[in-house]
Amino acid sequence: MSTIDQSVERLSRWTAARTNRRSFFHRAGQVALMVAAGPAVATVLMKRAEARVCGQSGVTPKCETFDCVGADDVWGWCWYANDGCCRNEGLKKICDCCTRDYPNVHGYCPSGTNVRCIVESCGNDPRVLLPMTPIAWTAGAGYTHSAILAGHASARSIVVADADDLWAQVVAAPLAGVLGVPMLPVAAAGLTSEDLNVFSTLGVQTARVVGSIAPGTDAALRAAGLEVEVIGSGSNPADLSVAVATAIRRINDINRTVTVAQTGLSGDAAPIAAAFAALNGFPIAIGSGAAAAIGAPTIYVGPEPTDAGLAASERTGASNLIDLSIELADLAAASPIVSAERIVVAPTGSTDVLAMANLGAPIVLHPLNVLGPIAKWLETHSLRYGLLSGLYHGTGPGQLSTDEYWTMQGMVNGFRVDQLTGVSGQGLPVRRQPFSERPIGKARVDGALDFGSEGTPSYWTTAGQTFRS
C-alpha cells in the first residue's frame, strides 16, 4: 500500500470513529477528492467542511435563504436536534434541500436527488414558506410598473399624475386608493411601452388626471384609447390637495384627513403618509392651511409645528422615518377596513416608495440593506394578527442583503431564527423524524410562537372614522 493510500485509510478510520454514517461517507469522499485534486481544491473543501451548524454532524452548508425552489430542487425530510441548539429550549429542525444528481451525500432526500444545503428552525417547519413577492425597481420608473401589476389584476380606470411632480403624486395616491385603482406617474416625454403594457394588461379605459400634465401626455393618453378626466389644476400642492379632497369626499363620505408639510420629517414621510391615506380612503392635505380649508379632523404626520387651527388634531409621535413607518403601519393594520395579513417592506431614502401604495398594504421601511428595527416588528405584527398571507419587498437600491432576507423569512414564518445558537458539532446525537412527521408542514413545532394570540391594539372605533379610540 502506498504512503498516500495508508494516509487516506488512517484518516478515514479516525473520521469514522467520530462521526455518524451519513457524515463519514461524505468526508471520506472529500478526502479522496482532495488527494486527487491537489492542495487548491483541498483548501476550498476543507473550508466548506467547517460550514456545519449546531446539531449537524455532516459537512453540508446552510442554504443562503429558506427557498428550495430551483428547477431540480425538492424538499427532503428533517432530523431533530434540541440539546443546546435553541435558546428557547425548543426542538430544532434541520431539513434537507435536495437537488437532482447533486454531488453530495444522499441524506434524507427522494430517490435521484442529493443534499445541496440545509435549513434550520427553532419554531415552525422551515420548509413551509408564505409567499414573498419581489417588487422590481427599474431606472426611470422605480417600483411603479412592478407594483401596479402585483397589486392589480384588472382596472377599468387609472389615476395619473406628473412623474416630475412628487406632490401631485402624493395627492393622487389617496384618490387611487378610494377608487381601488392604480396610480401611475407619467413622464413629460410621453407614455412608455411599460405604461402601455399596464393599460392593456389591466384593461384600462379611463384616466383620471390629477393636476397639470404636459399637453403631449394628454394627447398620448387619448391616443391610447383612454377617456381623460382632469381633477384639479395648477402646480400649487396645497390647492391641489383641497381640490382632490373635495372629489374624494364626493366618492367616499369620509370625515377625516391626513396632513403633511413639505419640509422636515413630515415632508420626507409624505410618500408613506399618502399610502396610509390611500389604505383608509382619507384625502391628504399638503400643509395645515389646506387641512383647515378642507375642514375635517386630521392626523398630522411629523413633528413640525402647525397653525392653531390644527392644535387639537391627532399627531404621530415617531421622530425618525423608519419608526414613523412602523407607527403608520400599526395604525393602518388596526383599522377595521385594512387587511393586516399582507405588508410591504421597502428600503428607506427614496421617493420611489410611493409606488408601493399600489400594493394596497401597510408599508414599513428598513435602513439600506438591513432590516434594522423592523426585524422584531415583523414578529410582533404576527403575534397580534396571525401569520401573514403575503409579503412584498423592494429590490434594487438599498434592498436587503441575502443574510437579512434570510432573517426576514425566518421572522415572518415563525422559524425563530433569533433563537438559533450553539457551535459546530454541538447538540448531538440527532434524531430522525418519525414517518408521520416527515411530510412538509408536519414537523414538530416545539418552541413556536402562538401567532395571533396577543390581540390587536385598540386604535380605531368600529366605524373607522376616528384615528384612535
Side-chain angles (χ1 to χ4, degrees), residues 13-178:
R13 291 182 183 277
W14 181 90
T15 305
R18 289 161 176 79
T19 61
N20 63 19
R21 184 173 181 272
R22 175 183 184 183
S23 135
F24 168 72
F25 284 114
H26 184 49
R27 290 197 185 195
Q30 277 193 322
V31 171
L33 183 58
M34 281 188 273
V35 171
V41 174
T43 300
V44 172
L45 290 178
M46 288 305 291
K47 286 183 178 179
R48 183 184 178 196
E50 294 306 314
R52 72 196 89 161
V53 292
C54 180
Q56 180 192 5
S57 57
V59 292
T60 296
K62 289 169 58 178
C63 302
E64 287 192 334
T65 70
F66 283 94
D67 300 293
C68 183
V69 294
D72 295 321
D73 289 345
V74 63
W75 283 115
W77 43 283
C78 314
W79 67 101
Y80 298 143
N82 64 342
D83 297 330
C85 292
C86 291
R87 292 188 187 92
N88 61 354
E89 298 182 357
L91 180 67
K92 180 175 179 179
K93 278 74 64 180
I94 305 173
C95 306
D96 289 342
C97 175
C98 309
T99 303
R100 182 171 299 280
D101 298 326
Y102 193 78
N104 195 4
V105 291
H106 181 61
Y108 304 138
C109 290
S111 177
T113 66
N114 297 321
V115 184
R116 177 171 60 82
C117 58
I118 61 162
V119 296
E120 53 182 353
S121 167
C122 286
N124 290 333
D125 189 328
R127 300 167 297 176
V128 180
L129 295 172
L130 68 88
M132 296 176 63
T133 306
I135 303 301
W137 183 94
T138 59
Y143 301 109
T144 297
H145 301 105
S146 182
I148 288 176
L149 294 177
H152 296 270
S154 64
R156 293 178 62 85
S157 67
I158 196 165
V159 173
V160 173
D162 185 347
D164 295 322
D165 187 345
L166 170 64
W167 296 105
Q169 296 170 48
V170 167
V171 171
L175 175 62
V178 168

Side-chain angles (χ1 to χ4, degrees), residues 109-380:
C109 290
S111 177
T113 66
N114 297 321
V115 184
R116 177 171 60 82
C117 58
I118 61 162
V119 296
E120 53 182 353
S121 167
C122 286
N124 290 333
D125 189 328
R127 300 167 297 176
V128 180
L129 295 172
L130 68 88
M132 296 176 63
T133 306
I135 303 301
W137 183 94
T138 59
Y143 301 109
T144 297
H145 301 105
S146 182
I148 288 176
L149 294 177
H152 296 270
S154 64
R156 293 178 62 85
S157 67
I158 196 165
V159 173
V160 173
D162 185 347
D164 295 322
D165 187 345
L166 170 64
W167 296 105
Q169 296 170 48
V170 167
V171 171
L175 175 62
V178 168
L179 295 171
V181 303
M183 192 278 287
L184 175 69
V186 176
L191 299 175
T192 66
S193 59
E194 290 81 7
D195 295 337
L196 295 173
N197 179 60
V198 166
F199 297 158
S200 62
T201 300
L202 302 185
V204 176
Q205 299 177 9
T206 303
R208 289 179 168 87
V209 177
V210 172
S212 300
I213 58 173
T217 303
D218 180 86
L221 291 170
R222 296 181 191 277
L226 275 60
E227 296 182 11
V228 177
E229 175 188 351
V230 179
I231 301 175
S233 61
S235 58
N236 182 284
D239 293 344
L240 187 59
S241 67
V242 174
V244 174
T246 300
I248 288 176
R249 294 174 78 177
R250 283 198 297 263
I251 300 167
N252 187 19
D253 187 20
I254 205 81
N255 65 353
R256 293 292 184 270
T257 64
V258 175
T259 301
V260 295
Q262 291 182 262
T263 59
L265 178 59
S266 184
D268 293 340
I272 57 173
F276 168 79
L279 281 174
N280 292 282
F282 299 146
I284 191 164
I286 309 301
S288 54
I294 295 169
T298 195
I299 180 169
Y300 190 88
V301 177
E304 290 72 19
T306 65
D307 62 63
L310 293 183
S313 295
E314 186 74 23
R315 180 185 290 272
T316 58
S319 59
N320 64 75
L321 189 57
I322 292 173
D323 288 346
L324 184 52
S325 76
I326 291 174
E327 183 176 357
L328 290 177
D330 282 340
L331 194 56
S335 166
I337 62 172
V338 176
S339 170
E341 295 181 354
R342 298 179 302 120
I343 59 172
V344 180
V345 174
T348 190
S350 172
T351 56
D352 292 336
V353 75
L354 179 57
M356 298 290 199
N358 285 304
L359 297 167
I363 300 172
V364 287
L365 301 178
H366 64 78
L368 299 181
N369 308 121
V370 298
L371 283 168
I374 71 168
K376 192 63 180 177
W377 178 86
L378 292 168
E379 184 178 279
T380 301

Side-chain angles (χ1 to χ4, degrees), residues 395-445:
T395 65
Q399 71 180 53
L400 295 172
S401 68
T402 300
D403 285 346
E404 293 289 291
Y405 180 82
W406 173 86
T407 299
M408 180 169 69
Q409 284 183 305
M411 300 302 277
V412 300
N413 285 284
F415 297 153
R416 308 299 306 276
V417 294
D418 56 324
Q419 298 301 314
L420 294 168
T421 188
V423 296
S424 301
Q426 182 182 343
L428 303 180
V430 295
R431 308 194 306 273
R432 296 183 179 183
Q433 282 182 301
F435 282 105
S436 62
E437 297 175 15
R438 293 180 189 179
I440 295 175
K442 297 297 184 180
R444 272 185 255 170
V445 293

